[in-house]
Amino acid sequence: MKILVPVKRVVDYNVKVRVKADGTGVDIANVKMSMNPFDEIAVEEAVRLKEAGVATEVVAVSCGVGACQETLRAAMAIGADRGILVETDVELQPLAVAKLLKALCAKEAPQVVICGKQAIDDDANQTGQMLAALMGWPQATFASKVSLADGKATVTREIDGGLETLELNLPAVISTDLRLNEPRYATLPNIMKAKKKPLDTVKPEELGVDVTPRLSTLKVGEPPKRSAGVRVPDVAQLVDKLKNEAKVI
């Protein structure tokens, strides 16, 4: 069984994001970049399934600039067997990424695609669902537990009311939630081994996919700063302020 894991290069979650002065986007110059945390969970789950003897190969895929090779090497240090980079300088949007992954699925024929539920930069939460729709595959989102056996996937997913368990026929798309697992730290020997693992590079044109953006960002701005809180002597004044000043009731 082959598992395909898409991974995205994003601004590290510990970095305080700054908006460009002209409001055209986020400033990523000289900013630490790393693998999207939800994708890291997806890689860990795929590697665990391989270690359990359920999967035979884990293939990491990233779409973007040449520097995404670092993200793929990080995935291979966790335990992915090889990497594929779809290299392009074009701003990639969820639908374009889903189409690229569809082309790679047709080429690689994985039985399962495990991806992060969303990326922490755009928070779109769309690519996995779009890929499942394009492929005509069943999907299970927000997975907190995954088991594969007898050509089926049993997935426990987090929903507003608690937990829901689904059984899917393979091939399928699964997106991971935070509580699925805790990714391991990549050891130095595994980081060194990852440098020797195969990493193929392809262009969107070679896959026959048009990645031209269909949406344009008009402006990016920081959220308004919160004003300082005030103490009120009693409930009556609190209700008055909520009604007349905050206008929330």
Side-chain angles (χ1 to χ4, degrees), residues 41-77:
I41 292 170
V43 174
E44 174 67 26
E45 188 64 22
V47 172
R48 290 188 186 188
L49 289 168
K50 184 189 173 187
E51 291 173 343
V54 177
T56 55
E57 186 181 26
V58 177
V59 182
V61 177
S62 191
C63 306
V65 296
C68 292
Q69 289 188 30
E70 299 171 10
T71 309
L72 289 170
R73 294 294 179 194
M76 289 187 276

Side-chain angles (χ1 to χ4, degrees), residues 52 109 134 156 161 167 192 197 211:
L134 291 171
T156 300
E167 186 177 80
M192 300 307 293
K197 291 183 178 180
V211 295

Side-chain angles (χ1 to χ4, degrees), residues 38 41 48 55 62 65 104 112 122-123 166 202 211 229 241:
F38 290 104
I41 292 170
R48 290 188 186 188
S62 191
V65 296
L104 288 174
V112 184
D122 59 13
D123 271 337
L166 302 177
V202 297
V211 295
K241 285 183 176 296

Side-chain angles (χ1 to χ4, degrees), residues 1-2 17 49 54 69 93 95 107 163 195 231 239:
M1 178 184 293
K2 182 188 293 186
V17 175
L49 289 168
V54 177
Q69 289 188 30
Q93 295 173 350
L95 181 58
K107 183 179 178 182
L163 298 175
K195 293 181 178 181
R231 291 181 178 271
V239 172

Side-chain angles (χ1 to χ4, degrees), residues 169-215:
N169 291 320
L170 300 182
V173 177
I174 300 171
S175 71
T176 61
D177 214 330
L178 278 174
R179 280 154 289 279
L180 179 58
N181 61 52
E182 185 175 341
R184 70 193 72 183
Y185 288 102
T187 61
L188 182 57
N190 286 336
I191 292 173
M192 300 307 293
K193 289 177 185 176
K195 293 181 178 181
K196 297 181 180 179
K197 291 183 178 180
L199 195 161
D200 299 325
T201 301
V202 297
K203 300 286 186 182
E205 300 78 36
E206 297 174 44
L207 298 173
V209 177
D210 178 16
V211 295
T212 304
R214 286 168 168 74
L215 303 173

Side-chain angles (χ1 to χ4, degrees), residues 28-145:
I28 59 172
N30 301 316
V31 170
K32 181 184 178 184
M33 308 292 283
S34 61
M35 188 190 308
N36 178 48
F38 290 104
D39 297 342
E40 197 172 3
I41 292 170
V43 174
E44 174 67 26
E45 188 64 22
V47 172
R48 290 188 186 188
L49 289 168
K50 184 189 173 187
E51 291 173 343
V54 177
T56 55
E57 186 181 26
V58 177
V59 182
V61 177
S62 191
C63 306
V65 296
C68 292
Q69 289 188 30
E70 299 171 10
T71 309
L72 289 170
R73 294 294 179 194
M76 289 187 276
I78 294 174
D81 298 293
R82 58 188 175 93
I84 301 173
L85 171 62
V86 183
E87 189 173 6
T88 177
D89 293 329
V90 177
E91 177 197 352
L92 293 175
Q93 295 173 350
L95 181 58
V97 176
K99 288 180 177 179
L100 291 171
L101 292 175
K102 178 190 176 185
L104 288 174
C105 285
K107 183 179 178 182
E108 294 286 333
Q111 282 70 53
V112 184
V113 175
I114 303 180
C115 57
K117 70 171 185 177
Q118 65 195 82
I120 62 171
D121 52 1
D122 59 13
D123 271 337
N125 186 11
Q126 296 174 345
T127 305
Q129 292 91 323
M130 288 177 169
L131 174 61
L134 291 171
M135 296 296 296
W137 289 0
Q139 62 174 309
T141 56
F142 315 132
S144 60
K145 184 178 179 182

